[in-house]
Amino acid sequence: MISQYSGISPKGDLLLLQKLGEELQDRSFLHINSTRAGGGVAEILQRMVPILGELGVKARWETLEGDERFFDITKKMHNALQGNMEVITKDMWEYHFDVNRKNAERLDLDADAVLIHDPQPAPLIEFREDGRWVWRCHIDLSNPYKEVCDHIMRYCQEYDAAIFSVAKFARAMAVDEFIIPPSIDPISDKNRDLAQEEIEETLARLQIPTDRPIILQVSRFDRFKDPVGVIEAYKLVKKYNDCILVLAGSPATDDPEGAVVLDEVKEHVASDPDIYPLLLPPFSDRDINALQRIATVVLQKSLKEGFGLTVSEAMWKGKPVIGGATGGIPLQITHGVTGFLVHSVEGAAFRIRQILNGPEMAQKMGELAREFVRNNFLITRQIRDYLSVWYALENKGMSILEL
Amino acid sequence: MGEVATAFDFKQHSSIVKATGRHAANLRELRDVIAAVSDDSIFHHTYQYFLKGHILEYTNDFAQWAGENLEERALAERLSNIDPYEFRNITDLRDELLRTIDEYLEKFPEPRAAMPGDEFYFNETISLTFHVGIRAQNLAEFLLAIKYVDMGSIYYHFYEARMRLGGGVDDFSAWVDNVLGKRDLAERIRSIDLFMHSAEGIREHIILEVEAEVKKDMEIISG
């Protein structure tokens, strides 16, 4: 499987993976999260565990078992860590701990390194046996609801280290805190190269015309993604350049506001036949891939964003992306080099026009964007970082490590 | 061009970023944290700036933040003009950063604060270095190799080497000078302005210089 990345991932990353694999040969590496299917964490683990195995590391992946009440509680925790005010009662905290205790009895927690993903299994640290324990937080912690965050952080303090996606998500804690951004998988259906026929098949099925440049935003119909702002920007552009707008998103079943936002979008679309709001079913990875490849300009005009990996996905396809200057987007887009960062509808419109009218600039930006993703946001880099953290913990106190 | 006794053994740098847990929302806070933060963090935000794929407007993270997020462009220009390789150690570099900020604060005592979310986060890194498994025996092999290796290798030999070797010397020019005895080429490599290029740009300049030298050597042989 690792050989599939040869010629795609940077040579140095693959070599370092091999060397770290040799250093950590036959040692055990246990990952625990809360679900085997659905969500970015499970998606990455599905790919990562077999790759670790190929490198000679004995990798295992376990998931928590919990009932509806448990996952209702952890959903509230998740929302609170992202800034919502949620009340988690003493009973709920106890239940959270209790479910973890039962899982600890069921699971084999004996490993040389244990990576616990997100808050659901965080209390497992109380049942550690041996090895290095690291808590991996995938959530945007830049503005958490303090009471809930403080409680979770009490567990985190007991780990050997914590990992956050962005520096501003890190907390002031007594344990080592590493920054490891998320990544995309270049050989998954969402990102692999597509044959022209595959792209054409998607466009025909979705009835998207290709006679004019396509402006695309892929995101849930969520106010923070500002789909209405995208439509307004498109309307400003349309005065000067003929183009079509595609807004592609999945129905947000866990988000009651999703339907309301979609209605707002439809209201704005009403009389314009060149706007295509697409409600794609879940797992429409190949269709999204095709849309990103055919688009002339890709937008991620978020007002608030966790990391916003859709930006890297489009950049990987050689597209200059116009992104809202929020969350992890500025870490992916270097303004004026690999795309544009914008702060307003007018800014988005202006940059769209620049790209539509400057195909050479757009192509150059797109090439640089793809290289930037190659060097920074591919799954092989993320695996390299996890193994590097483990290796660094084994050599604690050293800031330069020779392999 | 015969084989030489000491081959150039390409190594590469990779790193993982660690948060220090400290951040600054305005210039005074930036100043106070620079005064107190670890040497590793100062090193990361100045010397390791060139690990980024692109050269931004300024030449270190502090200058970039002052210019872009605080919009204190005059300060950004002054901070950008600080050459970290001129200092013997991090303490001296730290003092110069502080002196520059203090001087600015005396003239402009109330600089604006960063917008929420745009604070400066102090990080540091743990470096991992490893052999790439590529060895150049002569200049022609070196030329092939330098086109092939990753950017992390260029960073290790051209930027990071200056800290190891001192005196503005990098691994490439040291090898060309000491092993191949080509002082002119070594000096041309040394004179590439490391602040004005990304590691990729440095690679292109070295290729141009080495290619010209290899061509010249071939002409002498055929002549």
Side-chain angles (χ1 to χ4, degrees):
Chain A
M1 186 180 258
I2 187 86
S3 60
Q4 288 179 275
Y5 296 91
S6 156
I8 299 175
S9 297
K11 297 180 289 290
D13 280 3
L14 297 174
L15 188 59
L16 183 52
L17 273 176
Q18 219 176 45
K19 288 187 185 278
L20 285 164
E22 283 162 16
E23 293 289 336
L24 300 164
Q25 196 72 25
D26 292 330
R27 316 263 321 260
S28 50
F29 192 6
L30 171 62
H31 289 262
I32 303 178
N33 79 325
S34 63
T35 172
R36 206 163 277 278
V41 179
E43 232 174 75
I44 288 286
L45 284 172
Q46 260 157 23
R47 307 288 303 183
M48 191 162 72
V49 170
I51 292 175
L52 286 167
E54 265 188 59
L55 293 169
V57 175
K58 286 183 180 160
R60 266 195 304 137
W61 173 18
E62 301 285 0
T63 54
L64 272 195
E65 280 178 6
D67 56 10
E68 209 180 314
R69 184 180 175 212
F70 176 76
F71 287 112
D72 276 347
I73 294 169
T74 56
K75 175 81 186 163
K76 274 178 188 284
M77 282 177 195
H78 187 111
N79 290 340
L81 292 175
Q82 285 196 315
N84 283 9
M85 201 195 85
E86 299 278 357
V87 178
I88 313 248
T89 61
K90 192 164 170 277
D91 260 14
M92 289 155 93
W93 283 116
E94 278 170 9
Y95 194 71
H96 178 230
F97 182 82
D98 222 36
V99 169
N100 271 277
R101 184 180 49 76
K102 283 182 190 142
N103 273 282
E105 286 164 10
R106 181 181 64 85
L107 296 168
D108 173 10
L109 297 178
D110 185 22
D112 295 310
V114 180
L115 200 58
I116 299 291
H117 297 264
D118 282 336
Q120 298 93 336
L124 286 176
I125 185 68
E126 303 286 349
F127 309 95
R128 77 186 284 174
E129 291 175 11
D130 206 358
R132 318 269 171 198
W133 279 61
V134 180
W135 186 59
R136 198 328 173 193
C137 177
H138 297 271
I139 300 171
D140 176 350
L141 273 190
S142 52
N143 192 21
Y145 181 53
K146 192 173 176 305
E147 213 175 291
V148 174
C149 188
D150 286 351
H151 198 110
I152 292 287
M153 288 307 138
R154 282 206 283 278
Y155 290 122
C156 298
Q157 306 276 8
E158 295 178 47
Y159 283 79
D160 295 305
I163 299 174
F164 298 92
S165 295
V166 179
K168 71 173 124 181
F169 300 170
R171 325 299 305 163
M173 287 198 291
V175 302
D176 282 342
E177 296 174 79
F178 294 92
I179 308 302
I180 301 183
S183 62
I184 64 165
D185 186 351
I187 58 176
S188 67
D189 252 3
K190 207 189 263 182
N191 298 304
R192 69 176 169 87
D193 284 342
L194 292 181
Q196 191 56 32
E197 303 84 72
E198 289 179 288
I199 297 174
E200 280 164 12
E201 188 275 323
T202 292
L203 294 172
R205 182 163 31 81
L206 299 175
Q207 296 180 313
I208 308 284
T210 52
D211 55 343
R212 283 159 294 164
I214 294 172
I215 302 168
L216 170 72
Q217 174 157 301
V218 177
S219 67
R220 285 183 294 120
F221 289 100
D222 172 333
R223 284 213 178 86
F224 286 131
K225 312 290 181 192
D226 200 19
V228 173
V230 171
I231 294 172
E232 284 169 8
Y234 153 83
K235 285 180 177 166
L236 290 174
V237 173
K238 191 81 169 175
K239 286 193 239 166
Y240 304 90
N241 298 96
D242 196 10
C243 54
I244 68 167
L245 172 65
V246 176
L247 289 166
S250 299
T253 46
D254 61 343
D255 177 9
E257 246 191 28
V260 181
V261 177
L262 184 57
D263 285 344
E264 281 173 19
V265 168
K266 283 182 177 159
E267 240 173 69
H268 276 75
V269 169
S271 56
D272 191 332
D274 289 337
I275 305 180
Y276 295 78
L278 300 177
L279 206 53
L280 299 173
F283 309 109
S284 299
D285 288 357
R286 208 193 69 178
D287 287 342
I288 289 168
N289 187 346
L291 289 170
Q292 287 168 328
R293 285 180 191 278
I294 201 70
T296 307
V297 186
V298 177
L299 263 76
Q300 190 60 54
K301 206 203 149 304
S302 305
L303 304 170
K304 187 173 162 65
E305 188 62 75
F307 197 82
L309 263 183
T310 45
V311 169
S312 279
E313 283 169 15
M315 287 168 71
W316 178 243
K317 284 137 197 152
K319 304 296 168 181
V321 180
I322 300 171
T326 180
I329 295 178
L331 297 175
Q332 298 169 80
I333 297 175
T334 308
H335 181 69
V337 181
T338 58
F340 292 110
L341 293 171
V342 294
H343 306 81
S344 63
V345 165
E346 291 77 8
F350 173 64
R351 299 304 181 184
I352 293 171
R353 285 170 55 203
Q354 256 189 311
I355 291 174
L356 291 181
N357 290 287
E360 280 174 17
M361 176 202 70
Q363 194 191 339
K364 182 74 192 153
M365 269 188 170
E367 282 165 13
L368 289 171
R370 182 173 165 89
E371 287 315 302
F372 191 69
V373 172
R374 187 194 306 283
N375 288 318
N376 295 284
F377 295 112
L378 297 187
I379 185 176
T380 37
R381 190 272 308 147
Q382 197 176 357
I383 302 173
R384 180 202 80 184
D385 283 354
Y386 283 151
L387 291 182
S388 298
V389 164
W390 179 8
Y391 189 64
L393 290 173
E394 300 271 309
N395 294 278
K396 209 168 158 57
M398 292 171 72
S399 61
I400 300 176
L401 299 165
E402 292 244 12
L403 279 117
Chain B
M1 204 183 305
E3 290 194 354
V4 293
T6 315
F8 190 93
D9 194 354
F10 281 86
K11 290 177 83 176
Q12 181 161 345
H13 168 279
S14 173
S15 60
I16 28 171
V17 177
K18 259 177 90 177
T20 64
R22 311 195 68 160
H23 65 271
N26 59 50
L27 191 54
R28 285 189 192 283
E29 286 180 12
L30 183 82
R31 188 233 174 266
D32 292 345
V33 184
I34 287 177
V37 80
S38 66
D39 282 1
D40 283 348
S41 183
I42 300 284
F43 180 80
H44 172 63
H45 292 295
T46 51
Y47 295 93
Q48 291 189 330
Y49 183 75
F50 295 93
L51 270 174
K52 291 183 188 13
H54 312 288
I55 289 299
L56 303 174
E57 197 166 348
Y58 303 103
T59 64
N60 59 65
D61 285 332
F62 303 125
Q64 187 66 29
W65 188 70
E68 286 299 306
N69 298 92
L70 300 181
E71 296 186 18
E72 301 292 347
R73 304 210 191 278
L75 173 65
E77 287 165 6
R78 283 176 211 167
L79 288 170
S80 249
N81 216 32
I82 296 174
D83 176 354
Y85 296 100
E86 278 184 356
F87 299 91
R88 281 175 300 124
N89 51 47
I90 300 286
T91 309
D92 292 352
L93 170 59
R94 187 197 303 266
D95 288 346
E96 182 60 16
L97 291 166
L98 292 174
R99 195 190 61 73
T100 307
I101 297 173
D102 286 343
E103 209 175 271
Y104 188 82
L105 280 170
E106 267 174 36
K107 284 185 200 145
F108 307 100
E110 285 178 30
R112 74 191 80 194
M115 298 284 281
D118 282 346
E119 296 85 357
F120 188 96
Y121 287 83
F122 286 80
N123 295 325
E124 55 193 35
T125 57
I126 293 178
S127 297
L128 293 98
T129 59
F130 54 100
H131 290 275
V132 183
I134 294 172
R135 216 166 264 171
Q137 303 273 4
N138 54 47
L139 207 54
E141 286 183 9
F142 179 84
L143 180 60
L144 272 181
I146 202 159
K147 287 179 180 175
Y148 178 81
V149 294
D150 278 352
M151 227 165 58
S153 185
I154 308 285
Y155 171 80
Y156 178 80
H157 291 297
F158 198 74
Y159 291 92
E160 209 259 0
R162 283 171 156 73
M163 289 292 284
R164 274 183 282 114
L165 304 177
V169 175
D170 62 280
D171 287 336
F172 296 139
S173 66
W175 181 72
V176 166
D177 192 354
N178 302 336
V179 177
L180 301 184
K182 288 179 173 291
R183 176 134 311 164
D184 284 354
L185 176 61
E187 272 168 16
R188 288 204 299 281
I189 292 173
R190 261 170 225 160
S191 68
I192 299 170
D193 188 339
L194 74 165
F195 293 102
M196 295 298 117
H197 308 284
S198 63
E200 202 53 60
I202 296 290
R203 185 210 303 269
E204 283 165 21
H205 277 78
I206 295 175
I207 288 172
L208 282 177
E209 295 296 349
V210 174
E211 213 155 33
E213 188 75 16
V214 171
K215 273 185 193 156
K216 200 176 80 186
D217 284 351
M218 286 194 306
E219 280 163 11
I220 290 167
I221 290 166
S222 65

